[in-house]
PDB file of all heavy atoms in Angstrom:
ATOM      1  N   GLU A  25     -28.013 204.834  83.019  1.00  0.00           N
ATOM      2  CA  GLU A  25     -29.063 204.570  83.975  1.00  0.00           C
ATOM      3  C   GLU A  25     -28.956 203.099  84.453  1.00  0.00           C
ATOM      4  O   GLU A  25     -28.501 202.211  83.669  1.00  0.00           O
ATOM      5  CB  GLU A  25     -30.441 204.771  83.307  1.00  0.00           C
ATOM      6  CG  GLU A  25     -30.690 206.201  82.958  1.00  0.00           C
ATOM      7  CD  GLU A  25     -32.075 206.414  82.386  1.00  0.00           C
ATOM      8  OE1 GLU A  25     -32.957 205.611  82.571  1.00  0.00           O
ATOM      9  OE2 GLU A  25     -32.240 207.493  81.757  1.00  0.00           O
ATOM     10  N   TYR A  26     -29.321 202.845  85.714  1.00  0.00           N
ATOM     11  CA  TYR A  26     -29.141 201.497  86.281  1.00  0.00           C
ATOM     12  C   TYR A  26     -30.151 201.260  87.353  1.00  0.00           C
ATOM     13  O   TYR A  26     -30.818 202.202  87.789  1.00  0.00           O
ATOM     14  CB  TYR A  26     -27.731 201.277  86.764  1.00  0.00           C
ATOM     15  CG  TYR A  26     -27.339 202.197  87.957  1.00  0.00           C
ATOM     16  CD1 TYR A  26     -27.405 201.707  89.232  1.00  0.00           C
ATOM     17  CD2 TYR A  26     -27.032 203.556  87.737  1.00  0.00           C
ATOM     18  CE1 TYR A  26     -27.108 202.553  90.296  1.00  0.00           C
ATOM     19  CE2 TYR A  26     -26.736 204.330  88.759  1.00  0.00           C
ATOM     20  CZ  TYR A  26     -26.745 203.865  90.065  1.00  0.00           C
ATOM     21  OH  TYR A  26     -26.459 204.678  91.137  1.00  0.00           O
ATOM     22  N   THR A  27     -30.260 199.997  87.774  1.00  0.00           N
ATOM     23  CA  THR A  27     -31.208 199.640  88.823  1.00  0.00           C
ATOM     24  C   THR A  27     -30.466 199.355  90.144  1.00  0.00           C
ATOM     25  O   THR A  27     -29.417 198.662  90.100  1.00  0.00           O
ATOM     26  CB  THR A  27     -31.959 198.346  88.442  1.00  0.00           C
ATOM     27  OG1 THR A  27     -32.639 198.641  87.188  1.00  0.00           O
ATOM     28  CG2 THR A  27     -32.975 197.949  89.458  1.00  0.00           C
ATOM     29  N   LEU A  28     -30.987 199.860  91.200  1.00  0.00           N
ATOM     30  CA  LEU A  28     -30.463 199.639  92.543  1.00  0.00           C
ATOM     31  C   LEU A  28     -31.326 198.582  93.233  1.00  0.00           C
ATOM     32  O   LEU A  28     -32.385 198.249  92.727  1.00  0.00           O
ATOM     33  CB  LEU A  28     -30.541 200.900  93.406  1.00  0.00           C
ATOM     34  CG  LEU A  28     -29.828 202.157  92.901  1.00  0.00           C
ATOM     35  CD1 LEU A  28     -30.626 203.385  93.321  1.00  0.00           C
ATOM     36  CD2 LEU A  28     -28.457 202.206  93.526  1.00  0.00           C
ATOM     37  N   GLU A  29     -30.922 198.180  94.413  1.00  0.00           N
ATOM     38  CA  GLU A  29     -31.768 197.239  95.194  1.00  0.00           C
ATOM     39  C   GLU A  29     -33.067 197.876  95.655  1.00  0.00           C
ATOM     40  O   GLU A  29     -34.051 197.232  96.016  1.00  0.00           O
ATOM     41  CB  GLU A  29     -30.996 196.615  96.360  1.00  0.00           C
ATOM     42  CG  GLU A  29     -30.555 197.559  97.447  1.00  0.00           C
ATOM     43  CD  GLU A  29     -29.168 198.224  97.106  1.00  0.00           C
ATOM     44  OE1 GLU A  29     -28.736 198.275  95.935  1.00  0.00           O
ATOM     45  OE2 GLU A  29     -28.572 198.789  98.064  1.00  0.00           O
ATOM     46  N   TYR A  30     -33.142 199.222  95.667  1.00  0.00           N
ATOM     47  CA  TYR A  30     -34.353 199.905  96.129  1.00  0.00           C
ATOM     48  C   TYR A  30     -34.854 200.975  95.134  1.00  0.00           C
ATOM     49  O   TYR A  30     -35.492 201.988  95.527  1.00  0.00           O
ATOM     50  CB  TYR A  30     -34.078 200.529  97.515  1.00  0.00           C
ATOM     51  CG  TYR A  30     -32.783 201.361  97.592  1.00  0.00           C
ATOM     52  CD1 TYR A  30     -32.708 202.676  97.185  1.00  0.00           C
ATOM     53  CD2 TYR A  30     -31.616 200.759  98.058  1.00  0.00           C
ATOM     54  CE1 TYR A  30     -31.552 203.380  97.253  1.00  0.00           C
ATOM     55  CE2 TYR A  30     -30.484 201.459  98.151  1.00  0.00           C
ATOM     56  CZ  TYR A  30     -30.447 202.752  97.713  1.00  0.00           C
ATOM     57  OH  TYR A  30     -29.236 203.472  97.776  1.00  0.00           O
ATOM     58  N   GLY A  31     -34.522 200.869  93.836  1.00  0.00           N
ATOM     59  CA  GLY A  31     -34.991 201.846  92.823  1.00  0.00           C
ATOM     60  C   GLY A  31     -34.077 201.964  91.602  1.00  0.00           C
ATOM     61  O   GLY A  31     -33.365 201.026  91.320  1.00  0.00           O
ATOM     62  N   THR A  32     -34.115 203.074  90.963  1.00  0.00           N
ATOM     63  CA  THR A  32     -33.273 203.317  89.770  1.00  0.00           C
ATOM     64  C   THR A  32     -32.518 204.632  89.967  1.00  0.00           C
ATOM     65  O   THR A  32     -32.912 205.483  90.774  1.00  0.00           O
ATOM     66  CB  THR A  32     -34.094 203.373  88.517  1.00  0.00           C
ATOM     67  OG1 THR A  32     -35.008 204.419  88.584  1.00  0.00           O
ATOM     68  CG2 THR A  32     -34.818 202.070  88.224  1.00  0.00           C
ATOM     69  N   ALA A  33     -31.470 204.784  89.203  1.00  0.00           N
ATOM     70  CA  ALA A  33     -30.662 206.037  89.287  1.00  0.00           C
ATOM     71  C   ALA A  33     -29.850 206.191  88.027  1.00  0.00           C
ATOM     72  O   ALA A  33     -29.853 205.323  87.112  1.00  0.00           O
ATOM     73  CB  ALA A  33     -29.695 205.964  90.496  1.00  0.00           C
ATOM     74  N   THR A  34     -29.230 207.363  87.891  1.00  0.00           N
ATOM     75  CA  THR A  34     -28.426 207.684  86.696  1.00  0.00           C
ATOM     76  C   THR A  34     -27.035 208.193  87.183  1.00  0.00           C
ATOM     77  O   THR A  34     -26.993 208.987  88.108  1.00  0.00           O
ATOM     78  CB  THR A  34     -29.089 208.742  85.827  1.00  0.00           C
ATOM     79  OG1 THR A  34     -30.371 208.294  85.448  1.00  0.00           O
ATOM     80  CG2 THR A  34     -28.292 209.119  84.621  1.00  0.00           C
ATOM     81  N   LEU A  35     -26.010 207.698  86.554  1.00  0.00           N
ATOM     82  CA  LEU A  35     -24.647 208.219  86.862  1.00  0.00           C
ATOM     83  C   LEU A  35     -24.061 208.851  85.616  1.00  0.00           C
ATOM     84  O   LEU A  35     -24.460 208.544  84.497  1.00  0.00           O
ATOM     85  CB  LEU A  35     -23.747 207.021  87.227  1.00  0.00           C
ATOM     86  CG  LEU A  35     -24.003 206.308  88.526  1.00  0.00           C
ATOM     87  CD1 LEU A  35     -23.073 205.084  88.743  1.00  0.00           C
ATOM     88  CD2 LEU A  35     -23.881 207.302  89.695  1.00  0.00           C
ATOM     89  N   GLU A  36     -23.078 209.732  85.850  1.00  0.00           N
ATOM     90  CA  GLU A  36     -22.394 210.393  84.776  1.00  0.00           C
ATOM     91  C   GLU A  36     -20.878 210.474  85.026  1.00  0.00           C
ATOM     92  O   GLU A  36     -20.491 210.491  86.185  1.00  0.00           O
ATOM     93  CB  GLU A  36     -22.923 211.835  84.557  1.00  0.00           C
ATOM     94  CG  GLU A  36     -24.398 211.890  84.156  1.00  0.00           C
ATOM     95  CD  GLU A  36     -24.917 213.262  83.973  1.00  0.00           C
ATOM     96  OE1 GLU A  36     -24.463 214.219  84.662  1.00  0.00           O
ATOM     97  OE2 GLU A  36     -25.798 213.449  83.133  1.00  0.00           O
ATOM     98  N   ILE A  37     -20.168 210.633  83.930  1.00  0.00           N
ATOM     99  CA  ILE A  37     -18.698 210.798  83.974  1.00  0.00           C
ATOM    100  C   ILE A  37     -18.394 211.829  82.878  1.00  0.00           C
ATOM    101  O   ILE A  37     -19.084 211.854  81.820  1.00  0.00           O
ATOM    102  CB  ILE A  37     -17.944 209.506  83.780  1.00  0.00           C
ATOM    103  CG1 ILE A  37     -16.477 209.614  84.209  1.00  0.00           C
ATOM    104  CG2 ILE A  37     -18.079 208.989  82.397  1.00  0.00           C
ATOM    105  CD1 ILE A  37     -15.781 208.239  84.373  1.00  0.00           C
ATOM    106  N   HIS A  38     -17.324 212.588  83.054  1.00  0.00           N
ATOM    107  CA  HIS A  38     -16.952 213.545  81.993  1.00  0.00           C
ATOM    108  C   HIS A  38     -16.482 212.728  80.819  1.00  0.00           C
ATOM    109  O   HIS A  38     -15.756 211.687  80.917  1.00  0.00           O
ATOM    110  CB  HIS A  38     -15.784 214.454  82.494  1.00  0.00           C
ATOM    111  CG  HIS A  38     -16.243 215.585  83.329  1.00  0.00           C
ATOM    112  ND1 HIS A  38     -15.801 215.834  84.573  1.00  0.00           N
ATOM    113  CD2 HIS A  38     -17.174 216.529  83.072  1.00  0.00           C
ATOM    114  CE1 HIS A  38     -16.372 216.930  85.079  1.00  0.00           C
ATOM    115  NE2 HIS A  38     -17.235 217.347  84.157  1.00  0.00           N
ATOM    116  N   THR A  39     -16.787 213.242  79.639  1.00  0.00           N
ATOM    117  CA  THR A  39     -16.368 212.562  78.401  1.00  0.00           C
ATOM    118  C   THR A  39     -14.852 212.568  78.228  1.00  0.00           C
ATOM    119  O   THR A  39     -14.304 211.709  77.536  1.00  0.00           O
ATOM    120  CB  THR A  39     -17.022 213.181  77.161  1.00  0.00           C
ATOM    121  OG1 THR A  39     -16.707 214.595  77.098  1.00  0.00           O
ATOM    122  CG2 THR A  39     -18.534 212.980  77.196  1.00  0.00           C
ATOM    123  N   ASP A  40     -14.186 213.564  78.787  1.00  0.00           N
ATOM    124  CA  ASP A  40     -12.729 213.713  78.657  1.00  0.00           C
ATOM    125  C   ASP A  40     -11.996 213.359  79.935  1.00  0.00           C
ATOM    126  O   ASP A  40     -10.907 213.813  80.215  1.00  0.00           O
ATOM    127  CB  ASP A  40     -12.424 215.119  78.264  1.00  0.00           C
ATOM    128  CG  ASP A  40     -12.780 216.207  79.300  1.00  0.00           C
ATOM    129  OD1 ASP A  40     -13.492 215.812  80.289  1.00  0.00           O
ATOM    130  OD2 ASP A  40     -12.475 217.353  79.103  1.00  0.00           O
ATOM    131  N   ALA A  41     -12.568 212.402  80.726  1.00  0.00           N
ATOM    132  CA  ALA A  41     -11.978 212.077  82.013  1.00  0.00           C
ATOM    133  C   ALA A  41     -10.685 211.301  81.934  1.00  0.00           C
ATOM    134  O   ALA A  41      -9.895 211.287  82.890  1.00  0.00           O
ATOM    135  CB  ALA A  41     -12.997 211.252  82.863  1.00  0.00           C
ATOM    136  N   PHE A  42     -10.430 210.673  80.839  1.00  0.00           N
ATOM    137  CA  PHE A  42      -9.282 209.790  80.705  1.00  0.00           C
ATOM    138  C   PHE A  42      -8.452 210.056  79.449  1.00  0.00           C
ATOM    139  O   PHE A  42      -8.983 210.538  78.467  1.00  0.00           O
ATOM    140  CB  PHE A  42      -9.722 208.287  80.675  1.00  0.00           C
ATOM    141  CG  PHE A  42     -10.536 207.911  81.802  1.00  0.00           C
ATOM    142  CD1 PHE A  42     -11.961 207.756  81.625  1.00  0.00           C
ATOM    143  CD2 PHE A  42     -10.034 207.700  83.071  1.00  0.00           C
ATOM    144  CE1 PHE A  42     -12.763 207.422  82.685  1.00  0.00           C
ATOM    145  CE2 PHE A  42     -10.884 207.353  84.116  1.00  0.00           C
ATOM    146  CZ  PHE A  42     -12.212 207.218  83.919  1.00  0.00           C
ATOM    147  N   ILE A  43      -7.198 209.659  79.512  1.00  0.00           N
ATOM    148  CA  ILE A  43      -6.373 209.517  78.308  1.00  0.00           C
ATOM    149  C   ILE A  43      -6.639 208.177  77.763  1.00  0.00           C
ATOM    150  O   ILE A  43      -6.764 207.217  78.514  1.00  0.00           O
ATOM    151  CB  ILE A  43      -4.883 209.703  78.701  1.00  0.00           C
ATOM    152  CG1 ILE A  43      -4.656 211.096  79.287  1.00  0.00           C
ATOM    153  CG2 ILE A  43      -3.984 209.368  77.475  1.00  0.00           C
ATOM    154  CD1 ILE A  43      -3.244 211.277  79.837  1.00  0.00           C
ATOM    155  N   ALA A  44      -6.742 208.042  76.477  1.00  0.00           N
ATOM    156  CA  ALA A  44      -7.064 206.708  75.863  1.00  0.00           C
ATOM    157  C   ALA A  44      -6.100 205.670  76.423  1.00  0.00           C
ATOM    158  O   ALA A  44      -4.893 205.850  76.480  1.00  0.00           O
ATOM    159  CB  ALA A  44      -6.959 206.754  74.366  1.00  0.00           C
ATOM    160  N   GLY A  45      -6.697 204.569  76.806  1.00  0.00           N
ATOM    161  CA  GLY A  45      -5.909 203.446  77.345  1.00  0.00           C
ATOM    162  C   GLY A  45      -5.618 203.489  78.826  1.00  0.00           C
ATOM    163  O   GLY A  45      -4.997 202.529  79.319  1.00  0.00           O
ATOM    164  N   HIS A  46      -6.072 204.513  79.518  1.00  0.00           N
ATOM    165  CA  HIS A  46      -5.859 204.550  80.974  1.00  0.00           C
ATOM    166  C   HIS A  46      -6.416 203.215  81.584  1.00  0.00           C
ATOM    167  O   HIS A  46      -7.457 202.729  81.182  1.00  0.00           O
ATOM    168  CB  HIS A  46      -6.644 205.665  81.585  1.00  0.00           C
ATOM    169  CG  HIS A  46      -5.811 206.811  81.922  1.00  0.00           C
ATOM    170  ND1 HIS A  46      -6.323 208.126  82.051  1.00  0.00           N
ATOM    171  CD2 HIS A  46      -4.509 207.005  82.174  1.00  0.00           C
ATOM    172  CE1 HIS A  46      -5.356 208.995  82.315  1.00  0.00           C
ATOM    173  NE2 HIS A  46      -4.244 208.367  82.408  1.00  0.00           N
ATOM    174  N   ARG A  47      -5.699 202.746  82.552  1.00  0.00           N
ATOM    175  CA  ARG A  47      -6.110 201.488  83.298  1.00  0.00           C
ATOM    176  C   ARG A  47      -6.795 202.040  84.619  1.00  0.00           C
ATOM    177  O   ARG A  47      -6.132 202.767  85.315  1.00  0.00           O
ATOM    178  CB  ARG A  47      -4.886 200.637  83.594  1.00  0.00           C
ATOM    179  CG  ARG A  47      -4.151 200.152  82.354  1.00  0.00           C
ATOM    180  CD  ARG A  47      -2.825 199.567  82.657  1.00  0.00           C
ATOM    181  NE  ARG A  47      -1.956 200.577  83.300  1.00  0.00           N
ATOM    182  CZ  ARG A  47      -0.909 200.230  84.043  1.00  0.00           C
ATOM    183  NH1 ARG A  47      -0.497 199.009  84.198  1.00  0.00           N
ATOM    184  NH2 ARG A  47      -0.201 201.222  84.603  1.00  0.00           N
ATOM    185  N   VAL A  48      -7.951 201.551  84.834  1.00  0.00           N
ATOM    186  CA  VAL A  48      -8.779 202.065  85.897  1.00  0.00           C
ATOM    187  C   VAL A  48      -9.206 201.086  86.940  1.00  0.00           C
ATOM    188  O   VAL A  48      -9.646 199.990  86.597  1.00  0.00           O
ATOM    189  CB  VAL A  48     -10.057 202.740  85.280  1.00  0.00           C
ATOM    190  CG1 VAL A  48     -11.009 203.288  86.336  1.00  0.00           C
ATOM    191  CG2 VAL A  48      -9.672 203.891  84.365  1.00  0.00           C
ATOM    192  N   LEU A  49      -9.148 201.487  88.200  1.00  0.00           N
ATOM    193  CA  LEU A  49      -9.733 200.684  89.339  1.00  0.00           C
ATOM    194  C   LEU A  49     -11.012 201.448  89.672  1.00  0.00           C
ATOM    195  O   LEU A  49     -10.990 202.641  89.955  1.00  0.00           O
ATOM    196  CB  LEU A  49      -8.795 200.693  90.533  1.00  0.00           C
ATOM    197  CG  LEU A  49      -9.441 200.152  91.818  1.00  0.00           C
ATOM    198  CD1 LEU A  49      -9.877 198.709  91.679  1.00  0.00           C
ATOM    199  CD2 LEU A  49      -8.409 200.295  92.991  1.00  0.00           C
ATOM    200  N   VAL A  50     -12.179 200.755  89.630  1.00  0.00           N
ATOM    201  CA  VAL A  50     -13.442 201.381  90.001  1.00  0.00           C
ATOM    202  C   VAL A  50     -13.706 201.006  91.497  1.00  0.00           C
ATOM    203  O   VAL A  50     -13.655 199.817  91.860  1.00  0.00           O
ATOM    204  CB  VAL A  50     -14.609 200.818  89.144  1.00  0.00           C
ATOM    205  CG1 VAL A  50     -15.933 201.314  89.683  1.00  0.00           C
ATOM    206  CG2 VAL A  50     -14.387 201.266  87.696  1.00  0.00           C
ATOM    207  N   MET A  51     -13.905 202.013  92.314  1.00  0.00           N
ATOM    208  CA  MET A  51     -14.164 201.780  93.745  1.00  0.00           C
ATOM    209  C   MET A  51     -15.503 202.300  94.193  1.00  0.00           C
ATOM    210  O   MET A  51     -15.923 203.422  93.766  1.00  0.00           O
ATOM    211  CB  MET A  51     -13.064 202.456  94.565  1.00  0.00           C
ATOM    212  CG  MET A  51     -11.740 201.806  94.559  1.00  0.00           C
ATOM    213  SD  MET A  51     -10.616 202.400  95.760  1.00  0.00           S
ATOM    214  CE  MET A  51     -11.288 201.620  97.240  1.00  0.00           C
ATOM    215  N   ASP A  52     -16.144 201.541  95.054  1.00  0.00           N
ATOM    216  CA  ASP A  52     -17.388 202.020  95.721  1.00  0.00           C
ATOM    217  C   ASP A  52     -17.414 201.459  97.126  1.00  0.00           C
ATOM    218  O   ASP A  52     -16.642 200.540  97.485  1.00  0.00           O
ATOM    219  CB  ASP A  52     -18.613 201.611  94.912  1.00  0.00           C
ATOM    220  CG  ASP A  52     -19.835 202.492  95.208  1.00  0.00           C
ATOM    221  OD1 ASP A  52     -19.726 203.442  95.960  1.00  0.00           O
ATOM    222  OD2 ASP A  52     -20.874 202.268  94.575  1.00  0.00           O
ATOM    223  N   ASP A  53     -18.367 201.924  97.916  1.00  0.00           N
ATOM    224  CA  ASP A  53     -18.469 201.441  99.295  1.00  0.00           C
ATOM    225  C   ASP A  53     -19.037 200.082  99.399  1.00  0.00           C
ATOM    226  O   ASP A  53     -18.517 199.218 100.062  1.00  0.00           O
ATOM    227  CB  ASP A  53     -19.190 202.464 100.130  1.00  0.00           C
ATOM    228  CG  ASP A  53     -20.643 202.708  99.710  1.00  0.00           C
ATOM    229  OD1 ASP A  53     -20.950 202.460  98.504  1.00  0.00           O
ATOM    230  OD2 ASP A  53     -21.441 203.205 100.507  1.00  0.00           O
ATOM    231  N   VAL A  54     -20.160 199.858  98.650  1.00  0.00           N
ATOM    232  CA  VAL A  54     -20.936 198.627  98.836  1.00  0.00           C
ATOM    233  C   VAL A  54     -21.212 198.000  97.398  1.00  0.00           C
ATOM    234  O   VAL A  54     -21.597 198.738  96.477  1.00  0.00           O
ATOM    235  CB  VAL A  54     -22.244 198.813  99.554  1.00  0.00           C
ATOM    236  CG1 VAL A  54     -23.060 197.550  99.599  1.00  0.00           C
ATOM    237  CG2 VAL A  54     -21.973 199.326 100.998  1.00  0.00           C
ATOM    238  N   LEU A  55     -21.035 196.766  97.277  1.00  0.00           N
ATOM    239  CA  LEU A  55     -21.481 195.976  96.101  1.00  0.00           C
ATOM    240  C   LEU A  55     -22.740 195.270  96.530  1.00  0.00           C
ATOM    241  O   LEU A  55     -22.669 194.351  97.376  1.00  0.00           O
ATOM    242  CB  LEU A  55     -20.376 194.997  95.650  1.00  0.00           C
ATOM    243  CG  LEU A  55     -20.803 194.107  94.428  1.00  0.00           C
ATOM    244  CD1 LEU A  55     -21.138 194.918  93.228  1.00  0.00           C
ATOM    245  CD2 LEU A  55     -19.694 193.090  94.167  1.00  0.00           C
ATOM    246  N   ALA A  56     -23.841 195.706  95.975  1.00  0.00           N
ATOM    247  CA  ALA A  56     -25.147 195.078  96.371  1.00  0.00           C
ATOM    248  C   ALA A  56     -25.667 194.325  95.135  1.00  0.00           C
ATOM    249  O   ALA A  56     -25.203 193.234  94.904  1.00  0.00           O
ATOM    250  CB  ALA A  56     -26.136 196.137  96.830  1.00  0.00           C
ATOM    251  N   THR A  57     -26.509 194.904  94.301  1.00  0.00           N
ATOM    252  CA  THR A  57     -27.040 194.280  93.148  1.00  0.00           C
ATOM    253  C   THR A  57     -26.020 194.304  91.948  1.00  0.00           C
ATOM    254  O   THR A  57     -26.265 193.617  90.995  1.00  0.00           O
ATOM    255  CB  THR A  57     -28.359 194.889  92.683  1.00  0.00           C
ATOM    256  OG1 THR A  57     -28.104 196.231  92.242  1.00  0.00           O
ATOM    257  CG2 THR A  57     -29.419 194.809  93.757  1.00  0.00           C
ATOM    258  N   GLY A  58     -25.009 195.164  92.092  1.00  0.00           N
ATOM    259  CA  GLY A  58     -24.052 195.304  91.019  1.00  0.00           C
ATOM    260  C   GLY A  58     -24.433 196.329  90.004  1.00  0.00           C
ATOM    261  O   GLY A  58     -23.599 196.595  89.103  1.00  0.00           O
ATOM    262  N   GLY A  59     -25.617 196.912  90.090  1.00  0.00           N
ATOM    263  CA  GLY A  59     -26.034 197.864  89.064  1.00  0.00           C
ATOM    264  C   GLY A  59     -25.134 199.135  89.021  1.00  0.00           C
ATOM    265  O   GLY A  59     -24.805 199.628  87.965  1.00  0.00           O
ATOM    266  N   THR A  60     -24.817 199.646  90.200  1.00  0.00           N
ATOM    267  CA  THR A  60     -23.989 200.847  90.257  1.00  0.00           C
ATOM    268  C   THR A  60     -22.581 200.555  89.732  1.00  0.00           C
ATOM    269  O   THR A  60     -22.101 201.328  88.856  1.00  0.00           O
ATOM    270  CB  THR A  60     -23.864 201.341  91.717  1.00  0.00           C
ATOM    271  OG1 THR A  60     -25.167 201.511  92.231  1.00  0.00           O
ATOM    272  CG2 THR A  60     -23.082 202.605  91.813  1.00  0.00           C
TER     273      THR A  60
END
């Protein structure tokens, strides 16, 4: 759970989404408060 500039929300990811040690780039459209 996290806070947005205009409220709160919840994000989820599959528990088995990665192989241990995967190196990941996280991408989104906008960086606002940084909560997402």
